[in-house]
Amino acid sequence: MKMDKLNKLSNDELKQVAGGCDYETSNDSKFLNVLLRGTDYHRCDRYGKFKIFWGSSKRYGPCEDIENSWRVLGIEMVPYAVDHNEYWLNGKLLTRDEAWDYAEKLVGKHLERKDWDW
């Protein structure tokens, strides 16, 4: 099969590509761990993708901690919903970026990737 032209994806299309599963949830835990540290909100531990994968049960393991951290921020996170996590705020489905932006504004911190991904 030969590609005649290079197809480029828009940013919105890229957000839909192979969501994230344990990678996405692992990064959520790292982000929330740093974002919520020193606040009155629940502090999420830092879970790597390996631990997320082996403890992926919604009611037992890291996902519950991450879900609770999102919940205290008013966001309902559904892990592994059809290949990627879903983020809901007041019945509206958010992109992951929108959920992170909302969390940063609520807590009053802005994080760069280097701040949480270590």
Side-chain angles (χ1 to χ4, degrees), residues 7-57:
N7 293 323
K8 294 184 180 180
L9 298 176
S10 69
N11 284 337
D12 287 335
E13 290 170 323
L14 271 173
K15 288 178 185 174
Q16 302 305 317
V17 175
C21 295
D22 51 338
Y23 289 99
E24 195 170 79
T25 306
S26 172
N27 284 341
D28 279 359
S29 76
K30 294 174 188 177
F31 171 78
L32 291 169
N33 173 267
V34 174
L35 182 72
L36 302 180
R37 189 178 299 142
T39 71
D40 292 336
Y41 297 102
H42 178 78
R43 183 173 171 267
C44 185
D45 283 334
R46 292 178 64 84
Y47 298 107
K49 62 185 173 69
F50 182 79
K51 187 162 185 174
I52 296 287
F53 177 77
W54 288 108
S56 62
S57 166

Side-chain angles (χ1 to χ4, degrees), residues 3-4 8 13 23-24 38 45 48 53 63 65 75 79 84 86 89 92 111:
M3 272 183 75
D4 292 332
K8 294 184 180 180
E13 290 170 323
Y23 289 99
E24 195 170 79
D45 283 334
F53 177 77
C63 286
D65 188 26
I75 294 176
H84 64 88
E86 290 182 351
L89 177 64
K92 180 185 175 217
L111 301 177

Side-chain angles (χ1 to χ4, degrees), residues 36-114:
L36 302 180
R37 189 178 299 142
T39 71
D40 292 336
Y41 297 102
H42 178 78
R43 183 173 171 267
C44 185
D45 283 334
R46 292 178 64 84
Y47 298 107
K49 62 185 173 69
F50 182 79
K51 187 162 185 174
I52 296 287
F53 177 77
W54 288 108
S56 62
S57 166
K58 225 179 148 176
R59 296 297 160 233
Y60 306 100
C63 286
E64 186 174 20
D65 188 26
I66 298 164
E67 286 177 87
N68 288 338
S69 294
W70 278 117
R71 200 170 289 120
V72 298
L73 297 170
I75 294 176
E76 191 67 31
M77 187 271 277
V78 181
Y80 312 85
V82 192
D83 295 332
H84 64 88
N85 297 343
E86 290 182 351
Y87 304 85
W88 295 86
L89 177 64
N90 300 323
K92 180 185 175 217
L93 181 62
L94 303 176
T95 66
R96 185 168 178 244
D97 290 342
E98 289 170 333
W100 282 31
D101 288 343
Y102 175 83
E104 287 179 329
K105 287 176 186 164
L106 185 66
V107 173
K109 288 184 190 177
H110 174 70
L111 301 177
E112 299 292 330
R113 186 174 186 105
K114 64 181 172 46

